[in-house]
Amino acid sequence: MTARRAPGAAITGRTRGSTQPTYLRCTPLEAAAGWVHGREPRPPLPRDLPTPRAALDDVIRPSLVDGPCYVTFSGGRDSSAILAAATDLARREGLALPVPVTRVYPGLPDTDESQWQRTVIDHLGLREWVRFEFRDGESDLLGDAAVAGLRRRGPIWPPALHAHDAVFGRLGQGALLTGEGGDAVLGARRIAAITLIRRTRRAPRQLLLPALRSLLPRPLLRHAMTRMARSSDQARWLRPEAMAEHVRRVAEDAAAEPLRYSSSVWAIPGWRSFATIRHNHAIAAAEHGLRAVDPLLEDRFVASLARAGNILGFGDRTLTMWSLFSDLLPPAVLSRPTKAAFNHAHTGDRTREFARTWNGLGVDDTLVDPERLRQVWLSEEPTMATGTLLHQAWLAAHPGPSTPGAGR
């Protein structure tokens, strides 16, 4: 029995009659598309909340008190903000400082954030910094750690969680804070273009069109989102009928976003994609004695941010970062326009070696074109969206003891 849910079903992480949490599994379409569709209903937005920063302190504090407290730190804005907030809180309350944990991938320039990382570490005055180097396919979705996790757990989403065992196992017990969800929670919401026009009193073309689109009634907005979603990566390997259903669900989810900033932000933790990531990440980390926490997706912080933003919000991602963290991080970090890419870190030589000899079995060929999927794995532009399919195919080619969730 799996913990797979139909769209709209209540989130649950336990099988019937079991006291142990189990992994949430994708539906066949979600496994094929590499995305979890749908949104769960949310309770009313709470009132009488602290400021967003005070709420973030409340979310982070237990991890510092019951340390050691690790922070996954890539050098990006989200992980930098969490590391800075945790460091500031620890110093104010006399607690042990958090320890940044960074994955380093020598030879993969797309992943290199070393200059940004050093800027943040020096600014915060941190002396302890754990860096793990991954070479020779260690971080590949078919690397040793990932394959061992795949055998033990079966296919789960996101698929990179299997490879994260290589970090979890080296840390030991403690708390692990992440910046998961920052792109959504701190990013531009549906009303952002209107907010920016109101702030600047100007309506340039790059703002006017998104502003007009945001005001469309839901059926027209769904139509616009459908046109945009048709150009997504999934068209490279999904069969036409499966692609059409994936596009329909993505467009429906996008069109369901409320216009009001507070309502839009408060809905984010209810996205099934984030609910699945958080649930599965917490279980995988707990297998190694780690308590995983995603502060930017915790209800207390999200509710406080939603209340603070009210109707219009803060504007774009950079303005939100400045509003929340300008006293903690350097201006260059708050405003940086770039972001590292990690697709090649997880889809390297071992993935390509498997793809060359793969017999096409293990994936649902009513949803996926196996030969086109193989070409994606062999291409110079791989995508993590095919990771669950890769794991399904590998298990079919390497049968062994009964594997949880295999064939799903």
Side-chain angles (χ1 to χ4, degrees):
M1 181 183 294
T2 71
R4 188 176 62 181
R5 293 171 289 128
I11 296 174
T12 176
R14 300 180 188 274
T15 55
R16 184 174 297 175
S18 171
T19 59
Q20 296 299 318
T22 58
Y23 288 98
L24 299 177
R25 309 285 177 183
C26 293
T27 66
L29 177 63
E30 290 167 348
W35 184 248
V36 176
H37 309 98
R39 304 188 178 201
E40 301 289 348
R42 297 283 283 153
L45 179 61
R47 298 183 179 274
D48 301 323
L49 294 163
T51 66
R53 278 284 297 279
L56 191 60
D57 284 350
D58 292 342
V59 170
I60 290 172
R61 186 178 290 106
S63 296
L64 291 170
V65 171
D66 298 328
C69 177
Y70 303 103
V71 179
T72 56
F73 174 60
S74 67
R77 290 197 279 188
D78 303 329
S79 63
S80 296
I82 294 302
L83 179 60
T87 300
D88 176 68
L89 177 61
R91 285 181 171 142
R92 283 189 281 114
E93 300 193 356
L95 301 170
L97 293 175
V99 179
V101 177
T102 301
R103 303 177 183 91
V104 181
Y105 307 95
L108 294 177
D110 288 350
T111 69
D112 184 15
E113 297 264 60
S114 56
Q115 290 186 343
W116 290 108
Q117 292 162 3
R118 176 52 64 186
T119 295
V120 173
I121 294 294
D122 288 348
H123 182 81
L124 298 178
L126 292 172
R127 295 185 178 181
E128 189 173 3
W129 180 12
V130 176
R131 281 166 284 188
F132 296 126
E133 285 195 358
F134 292 93
R135 301 175 181 271
D136 302 322
E138 288 180 290
S139 62
D140 196 290
L141 288 180
L142 294 181
D144 292 343
V147 165
L150 179 59
R151 285 283 196 199
R152 189 170 69 253
R153 306 181 182 109
I156 58 174
W157 192 86
L161 280 179
H162 291 306
H164 290 178
D165 281 345
V167 171
F168 296 158
R170 300 186 204 184
L171 292 178
Q173 295 187 351
L176 182 67
L177 303 179
T178 83
E180 184 66 52
D183 284 341
V185 174
L186 304 179
R189 306 310 314 150
R190 177 178 169 183
I191 203 169
I194 295 173
T195 302
L196 290 171
I197 289 173
R198 181 162 178 164
R199 286 175 66 107
T200 61
R201 303 297 180 184
R202 293 183 298 108
R205 182 180 177 84
Q206 63 267 31
L207 289 180
L208 184 58
L209 292 180
L212 293 174
R213 186 187 305 120
S214 71
L215 294 172
L216 291 174
R218 185 165 177 171
L220 292 180
L221 183 59
R222 185 189 304 113
H223 178 71
M225 294 297 105
T226 297
R227 293 179 59 186
M228 294 173 64
R230 285 177 182 148
S231 62
S232 67
D233 260 359
Q234 283 79 2
R236 297 167 64 189
W237 66 88
L238 288 182
R239 294 200 185 275
E241 297 83 358
M243 182 63 185
E245 180 61 17
H246 168 66
V247 166
R248 186 192 70 78
R249 296 188 186 191
V250 168
E252 181 65 36
D253 287 346
E257 179 183 355
L259 181 61
R260 185 186 179 102
Y261 175 84
S262 58
S263 300
S264 173
V265 170
W266 180 235
I268 291 171
W271 297 2
R272 287 188 60 237
S273 54
F274 281 133
T276 304
I277 289 171
R278 296 181 68 196
H279 179 91
N280 288 350
H281 181 232
I283 296 178
E287 291 175 2
H288 298 271
L290 289 165
R291 302 180 306 280
V293 180
D294 307 304
L296 298 179
L297 288 169
E298 289 287 336
D299 275 359
R300 185 166 178 80
F301 171 72
V302 176
S304 296
L305 183 67
R307 283 292 182 196
N310 200 6
I311 298 173
L312 293 175
F314 303 92
D316 59 18
R317 169 64 172 259
T318 294
L319 289 171
T320 304
M321 289 292 297
W322 273 90
S323 297
L324 296 177
F325 305 112
S326 59
D327 61 323
L328 298 182
L329 290 169
V333 174
L334 295 167
S335 303
R336 63 171 292 191
T338 59
K339 188 172 183 176
F342 296 93
N343 280 337
H344 287 282
H346 294 300
T347 52
D349 290 341
R350 298 194 189 189
T351 292
R352 286 189 288 272
E353 288 169 7
F354 172 75
R356 291 188 187 99
T357 60
W358 178 45
N359 60 10
L361 300 179
V363 302
D364 188 338
D365 62 5
T366 67
L367 302 173
V368 175
D369 183 320
E371 188 53 40
R372 288 166 55 203
L373 177 61
R374 183 202 312 275
Q375 295 308 313
V376 173
W377 291 338
L378 293 173
S379 75
E380 293 301 315
E381 297 180 353
T383 169
M384 288 290 289
T386 60
T388 302
L389 292 171
L390 178 68
H391 284 162
Q392 290 178 335
W394 189 91
L395 283 173
H398 299 83
S402 179
T403 304
R408 295 284 178 164

